[in-house]
Amino acid sequence: MRESSARENSVLNPAFLQGVSELLPTERRFTDLTRRLAHSTDASFYHKVPELVVEIASADEMRELLKLAQQYQVPLTFRAAGTSLSGQAISDSVLVLLTRDWQAIAILEQGTRVRLQPGVIGADANRKLLPYGRKIGPDPASINTCKIGGIAANNASGMCCGVRHNSYHTLQELTFILADGTLVDTSDATSVAAFRQSHAQLLDELATLGEQVRGDAELSAKIAHQYRLKNTMGYGLNALLDYQDPVALLSHLLIGSEGTLGFIAEITYQTVAVPKASATGLYLFADSHAACAVISELKTIGVDAVEFMDGRSLASVRELLLAYTSTTPAPAAVALLIEIGRDSGEQLTDGIAAIEGCLGALNDVQPLCPFSEDPVTAAALWQIRKGLFPAVGAVRASGTTVIIEDVAFPLDQLPDAVTALQQLFVEHGYHEAIIFGHALDGNVHFVFTQGFATTAETERYANFMAAVVTLVTERFAGTLKAEHGTGRNMAPYLYAQWGGAGLAVMQKLKQLIDPVGILNPGVIINDNPNAHIEDLKQLPAVDATVDACIECGFCEPQCPSLHYTLSPRQRIALMRRTQHQTPADQQQIQQDFQHLGIDSCAATGLCATACPVGINTGSWVQQLRAQQARHTGVANWTAKHLSSSLQIARFGMSAARNVAKIVPKLVNTLVPAGMPDLPPAATTTMTEQPQPAARKMVYFITCPNRMFGYAQDNQRSLPDTVVRLCNKAGIEVILPESAAQSCCGQPWQSKGYPQQAAERREQLRQLLWQASEQGRWPIVLDASPCALQLDDCEHITTLELSAFLYQHVVPELALEPINEPLLVHVTCSSRHLDQGTALRNLAQLCSTKVVEPDGIQCCGFAGDKGFTLPELNSTALAPLAEQVPKDCSKGVSTSRTCEIGLTQHSGVAYAHIAFLLDAISHSNVSNSNVNDEGVSA
């Protein structure tokens, strides 16, 4: 990471800053305006610029930081993934991030328990638990991005979690650090005993407070009433009723405390079983009353999820609904997405019959999709539900943000409450607002768009929220926060929800546990009645490609530069925030952005695969590179003289390798630190000759495989290996003439020369059209990035090599898989093409011990950036080496340049999977099997 320069005008205590500088290395503390602005936003609609951003690598570092903060009274705010929606993870003081060192997962007792550090992504925990048939209880919609620290600190729930399976109820043990730096591990008797002794007064006062609450009949009844619903409004006062031991009470208070009472360093969950059989169905009702009338019975039957979608919601995902109905549901209509899981097929059949009997007794119920056990159908139905939030975000006006709030009502009040909410939307002019949610728990979300550029807009929002508060707390006795936490947005309404007695208990808890008030001030406890309408985020237009970004952060786990420079969210947020800075600061930020935002972006577009509105930040960066392009002449020459360019490159590689052997010191001086060793130049002579056959394919050898060879002794070239495999399978390989002058255009596209890229791509399309006999034969490209460039070709069928091998070659071969570990890397382009399905399937056929390392979505080699900016590659692959199995000597992928970086950072030789497939296979093809039908195009 680049060194950040200290701000001379920092308002932080100089002694505190000195202590932090002694505690943390320079590369893990940022005071420059550029990075502080990039970290000034989370998924909420609030914005605060931190004075200091730090990255903490261990519990010991966190303890020391907290001691410094307490000593000098400096506020801290913890952030895990930053997907919080109510302003919990922003700060104008010190923002505390976690390095990748907090990702330990320990499976306990055959998966019935799991111990997790706060940096673990929720979905990653579930992937580790899946072989045991278990999962963690919390299931927030952001589970593919949000981290355990945030899940626990916000007591997040979700689709199937309900009240029973949230963090509070599935917590078994907790390791936490208090504001004074004290670390407590509740699974360690010695730690607990020491804590009881050192903090006896605190624990006594907590115990006394618990006795007072339990002795207050009115308050106890109110707490019990609120927690029969989903409720994350304020501190978890139910802990004061549920636990008398003050250590257990404190542990459970930390759940849902949003980083205001302490830092959660580790949590052990009791896991829940994954149903062995499940089915999903989608049903349409005339109105909310008709839909809600069946929910209680569905709850009695024991379904896992009932998702409520109002008429406006259904209209927003009209295209997704076309697969099930050609008519547009009426505005008053409501759909219920119902999922049921059981431990056996027979039990599932009985459960479905019970549901269908319940629904069949009603009038005007239309089965848009009857219950199906097909996982593909279930995923499609859930995509309708999950598409609601982004559907609103995608159509919002430029400069506005998407606001999602969640409330809960008693189930018998739900239909009237939904109608009342819809009326509020009309009254306050939110005509695009939609309502959906988790009907089993009476928990509904409402989503609308809002601008904050004018006082009138802000006042409209404030008036609307005041009306919502009155409706929820007074008219329907519901809860103002069911899942998303209190944050800044609902902090002014604690009194409205809890009354004076409840609020006083919460204030007392904060004072007891964080007496100096350094932990996330302004969140949950906030005396400012206007806190929810201050520090509002502005979303000015940046570029049409990225303006739909709602800054949710879902993109970040996909990004190889996340731990190196900036993530896609941070790139966009920085350019938005820059518009409100002084001219001098804008100039500095633009200078910094050249490296942080433009040069260090891999531009692979993986961010778009996780983005709720499909934003490809890589495309935006390519546009910025095009605006800066200064070498059009060179780009034109290389595009028109590709064969000569590759010859020069091959010669240069051979020369460089020879120089490296003779004068290594000179190479170390001239070559960027961390740059991988250059592989030998690829041979241009093919030794394997295609054999005539009725079945044919056109093979285009891509530039990387014309340039880079392999260092292994006796290693065939990839083209020779492909021809050899096709000969075994009885498929004739057609090698197009003039292929040496052709390219898919990807190198020019990536570097900001779209015109040259388009010209090369079109020239190649014409070549392949002729070579394939006008689309008669499929065309195979041996590098997945190049295959992706031609994936949208009309009239010809293009296949990435691994997909061709799996679909057309493997069925004709006899395989003897190796009995040793095989590392697999799915490239970014393969993820775009087929989610890596073909490569993974081939790997399973080639080895009995396939290993796909965790935490690596993209290798960061990004064409030639592994050579020109090796830090991107090394950062993206930082988790790789420690995951290499013992006695592993082979790795496979589908891109030659990716293999170079993977080899360097793993110590294992990576190569295209075609080599391994060739080594373990022999032909099953006989003359009688060969016909003239050809390979289907």
Side-chain angles (χ1 to χ4, degrees):
M1 297 184 180
R2 282 191 164 184
E3 183 174 320
S4 57
S5 59
R7 293 181 73 222
E8 294 181 355
N9 62 337
S10 174
V11 299
L12 296 179
N13 188 304
F16 171 79
L17 290 173
Q18 179 61 33
V20 173
S21 69
E22 295 171 1
L23 175 66
L24 302 175
T26 303
E27 63 268 19
R28 290 199 276 117
R29 44 188 171 84
F30 310 114
T31 54
D32 59 285
L33 178 61
T34 301
R35 285 188 185 265
R36 291 188 298 110
L37 282 175
H39 288 90
S40 65
T41 180
D42 59 5
S44 73
F45 50 96
Y46 295 99
H47 162 246
K48 279 179 172 286
V49 183
E51 289 291 322
L52 172 67
V53 180
V54 296
E55 295 177 342
I56 301 299
S58 68
D60 285 341
E61 284 186 356
M62 188 66 79
R63 294 180 67 188
E64 294 305 314
L65 178 68
L66 283 164
K67 290 176 183 177
L68 283 170
Q70 176 128 308
Q71 178 181 356
Y72 296 108
Q73 299 186 22
V74 175
L76 305 178
T77 296
F78 308 118
R79 177 187 295 177
T83 58
S84 303
L85 293 163
S86 299
Q88 294 97 318
I90 58 174
S91 171
D92 57 7
S93 179
V94 179
L95 184 64
V96 183
L97 311 178
L98 304 180
T99 66
R100 285 189 287 199
D101 299 279
W102 298 83
Q103 296 184 11
I105 301 174
I107 306 296
L108 309 173
E109 297 176 5
Q110 294 300 303
T112 59
R113 297 188 300 132
V114 62
R115 185 166 60 242
L116 303 165
Q117 287 188 317
V120 174
I121 292 174
D124 290 342
N126 283 341
R127 275 190 283 273
K128 291 289 189 181
L129 287 164
L130 187 59
Y132 302 91
R134 311 288 294 184
K135 64 178 181 177
I136 61 172
D139 60 344
S142 58
I143 197 165
N144 290 325
T145 303
C146 64
K147 298 178 179 179
I148 294 299
I151 290 174
N154 289 288
N155 198 21
S157 48
M159 317 294 188
C160 303
C161 173
V163 174
R164 290 188 304 138
H165 293 149
N166 60 21
S167 292
Y168 179 91
H169 286 290
T170 58
L171 168 68
Q172 187 171 61
E173 304 290 354
L174 195 70
T175 299
F176 57 88
I177 306 175
L178 295 179
D180 62 3
T182 300
L183 184 146
V184 183
D185 178 359
T186 65
S187 69
D188 183 341
T190 301
S191 175
V192 172
F195 181 53
R196 291 187 190 278
Q197 183 173 4
S198 64
H199 287 67
Q201 181 177 349
L202 167 64
L203 295 177
D204 285 346
E205 292 191 69
L206 285 175
T208 299
L209 185 60
E211 290 175 1
Q212 293 172 352
V213 170
R214 291 189 294 274
D216 185 331
E218 183 178 350
L219 180 57
S220 294
K222 186 176 185 67
I223 294 171
H225 172 82
Q226 286 296 324
Y227 285 98
R228 64 194 180 90
L229 305 173
K230 280 186 177 181
N231 184 18
T232 58
M233 185 67 175
Y235 293 125
L237 297 185
N238 50 335
L240 296 164
L241 301 185
D242 297 340
Y243 298 95
Q244 296 188 27
D245 173 42
V247 175
L249 193 160
L250 176 57
S251 298
H252 285 81
L253 281 170
L254 283 163
I255 301 298
S257 65
E258 303 174 32
T260 66
L261 299 182
F263 172 74
I264 296 173
E266 194 172 67
I267 186 169
T268 300
Y269 282 119
Q270 298 171 349
T271 62
V272 299
V274 176
K276 294 182 175 64
S278 63
T280 311
L282 182 64
Y283 291 81
L284 188 67
F285 297 79
D287 53 39
S288 59
H289 283 80
C292 293
V294 304
I295 294 174
S296 293
E297 190 167 350
L298 292 175
K299 199 166 190 175
T300 301
I301 291 171
V303 300
D304 289 331
V306 178
E307 292 296 302
F308 176 103
M309 294 173 276
D310 73 353
R312 285 178 175 171
S313 296
L314 299 175
S316 72
V317 288
R318 180 74 187 90
E319 291 187 4
L320 296 176
L321 277 178
L322 287 176
Y324 308 101
T325 179
S326 58
T327 60
T328 301
V334 166
L336 294 183
L337 175 65
I338 307 169
E339 184 161 285
I340 179 173
R342 291 292 187 267
D343 288 333
S344 70
E346 290 183 358
Q347 292 177 359
L348 181 63
T349 300
D350 292 342
I352 293 173
I355 297 171
E356 291 177 338
C358 166
L359 299 179
L362 302 174
N363 295 323
D364 298 326
V365 179
Q366 179 184 350
L368 297 180
C369 180
F371 278 98
S372 171
E373 298 178 50
D374 175 30
V376 175
T377 300
L381 292 175
W382 276 105
Q383 187 55 44
I384 293 173
R385 160 61 180 85
K386 293 177 180 179
L388 296 176
F389 182 38
V392 175
V395 299
R396 65 182 174 83
S398 178
T400 64
T401 189
V402 180
I403 295 177
I404 179 170
E405 280 299 343
D406 71 306
V407 295
F409 302 102
L411 201 52
D412 59 350
Q413 301 268 34
L414 186 58
D416 290 335
V418 168
T419 301
L421 270 177
Q422 290 171 331
Q423 183 59 38
L424 281 187
F425 296 149
V426 173
E427 292 173 5
H428 292 270
Y430 295 107
H431 300 290
E432 80 293 348
I434 64 174
I435 298 177
F436 59 89
H438 318 309
L440 280 179
D441 303 298
N443 171 202
V444 295
H445 305 298
F446 51 95
V447 180
F448 57 99
T449 62
Q450 173 72 52
F452 294 112
T454 67
T455 301
E457 288 176 314
T458 302
E459 288 179 351
R460 178 172 70 128
Y461 173 73
N463 292 335
F464 171 69
M465 288 306 298
V468 168
V469 170
T470 300
L471 182 146
V472 173
T473 61
E474 297 181 12
R475 183 172 172 184
F476 292 106
T479 179
L480 288 168
K481 276 293 183 180
E483 292 187 317
H484 298 165
T486 310
R488 301 176 186 282
N489 195 32
M490 283 297 178
Y493 296 113
L494 274 184
Y495 178 86
Q497 179 78 74
W498 285 104
L503 176 59
V505 172
M506 293 184 188
Q507 291 171 330
K508 180 65 174 179
L509 287 170
K510 174 68 172 176
Q511 187 274 323
L512 286 175
I513 301 169
D514 177 23
V516 182
I518 63 167
L519 298 180
N520 214 1
V523 171
I524 298 186
I525 303 299
N526 194 322
D527 294 334
N528 181 0
N530 293 320
H532 61 311
I533 52 174
E534 295 179 357
D535 303 305
L536 298 169
K537 181 192 296 181
Q538 302 294 324
L539 296 178
V542 170
D543 185 276
T545 307
V546 297
D547 282 344
C549 175
I550 54 179
E551 300 184 9
C552 64
F554 284 13
C555 57
E556 292 189 336
Q558 313 296 319
C559 181
S561 63
L562 171 64
H563 298 282
Y564 174 43
T565 51
L566 300 177
S567 71
R569 165 169 66 173
Q570 291 165 351
R571 286 179 168 91
I572 297 167
L574 175 59
M575 287 298 96
R576 285 172 169 168
R577 309 291 100 78
T578 299
Q579 297 184 36
H580 300 286
Q581 306 306 309
T582 66
D585 284 339
Q586 288 181 355
Q587 182 178 6
Q588 181 61 55
I589 292 167
Q590 290 294 345
Q591 291 178 9
D592 295 341
F593 191 71
Q594 185 64 47
H595 170 72
L596 297 176
I598 299 176
D599 295 342
S600 61
C601 177
T604 62
L606 266 191
C607 43
T609 65
C611 174
V613 292
I615 295 170
N616 187 333
T617 307
S619 294
W620 173 51
V621 170
Q622 288 177 355
Q623 293 171 26
L624 296 177
R625 290 172 182 168
Q627 294 170 14
Q628 299 177 347
R630 297 291 184 270
H631 305 289
T632 304
V634 175
N636 286 330
W637 189 91
T638 55
K640 292 178 180 178
H641 301 86
L642 181 63
S643 180
S644 299
S645 300
L646 292 178
Q647 289 177 9
I648 294 170
R650 282 193 294 268
F651 174 80
M653 279 193 297
S654 297
R657 285 172 59 84
N658 291 331
V659 170
K661 294 176 182 178
I662 300 170
V663 196
K665 290 184 179 179
L666 176 61
V667 175
N668 292 337
T669 301
L670 299 177
V671 172
M675 176 177 165
D677 294 334
L678 285 172
T683 178
T684 57
T685 303
M686 292 188 64
T687 59
E688 195 80 26
Q689 296 303 313
Q691 299 299 312
R695 305 169 67 214
K696 306 178 190 294
M697 69 87 151
V698 177
Y699 175 29
F700 180 70
I701 305 169
T702 61
C703 300
N705 290 308
R706 281 180 259 158
M707 182 182 300
F708 300 112
Y710 288 86
Q712 295 94 318
D713 294 337
N714 302 318
Q715 178 75 68
R716 292 176 179 271
S717 71
L718 182 58
D720 270 335
T721 302
V722 173
V723 173
R724 178 179 167 87
L725 280 166
C726 288
N727 287 343
K728 290 182 188 180
I731 301 171
E732 181 179 347
V733 176
I734 301 170
L735 296 168
E737 296 182 5
S738 303
Q741 289 287 354
S742 301
C743 177
C744 69
Q746 194 272 339
W748 290 273
Q749 184 70 38
S750 178
K751 292 190 177 301
Y753 298 96
Q755 179 181 343
Q756 290 81 357
E759 291 171 355
R760 299 309 299 169
R761 198 156 41 244
E762 182 56 32
Q763 185 270 340
L764 179 57
R765 285 191 179 114
Q766 294 301 320
L767 172 70
L768 297 177
W769 170 250
Q770 297 299 325
S772 65
E773 299 179 23
Q774 291 74 48
R776 181 181 181 187
W777 310 116
I779 296 145
V780 178
L781 296 94
D782 60 11
S784 52
C786 305
L788 180 62
Q789 291 296 311
L790 297 182
D791 189 46
D792 60 349
C793 288
E794 295 182 357
H795 310 304
I796 59 174
T797 298
T798 60
L799 290 170
E800 186 269 321
L801 177 56
S802 67
F804 174 78
L805 294 174
Y806 181 69
Q807 294 172 24
H808 299 292
V809 174
V810 164
E812 309 299 340
L813 303 179
L815 306 179
E816 297 178 7
I818 61 174
N819 188 30
E820 62 181 84
L822 177 67
L823 286 169
V824 174
H825 175 72
V826 178
T827 65
C828 306
S829 42
S830 288
R831 294 180 192 276
H832 283 294
L833 286 166
D834 70 346
Q835 294 295 316
T837 300
L839 177 61
R840 292 187 178 104
N841 287 341
L842 279 178
Q844 293 293 339
L845 294 173
C846 290
S847 172
T848 59
K849 300 176 181 177
V850 175
V851 178
E852 188 172 346
D854 296 326
I856 300 172
Q857 298 294 323
C858 170
C859 72
F861 208 92
D864 65 352
K865 284 195 179 295
F867 297 123
T868 61
L869 197 66
E871 298 92 343
L872 178 61
N873 184 225
S874 62
T875 303
L877 293 181
L880 177 57
E882 64 183 17
Q883 298 184 67
V884 175
K886 184 181 180 181
D887 301 326
C888 178
S889 62
K890 294 181 177 64
V892 293
S893 191
T894 57
S895 168
R896 184 68 191 100
T897 52
C898 296
E899 294 160 12
I900 295 169
L902 290 161
T903 298
Q904 180 192 16
H905 294 290
S906 67
V908 172
Y910 275 76
H912 197 286
I913 196 168
F915 291 109
L916 181 55
L917 182 64
D918 179 43
I920 68 166
S921 66
H922 61 268
S923 176
N924 269 341
V925 175
S926 64
N927 290 333
S928 60
N929 290 334
V930 178
N931 56 50
D932 59 0
E933 294 179 1
V935 175
S936 172

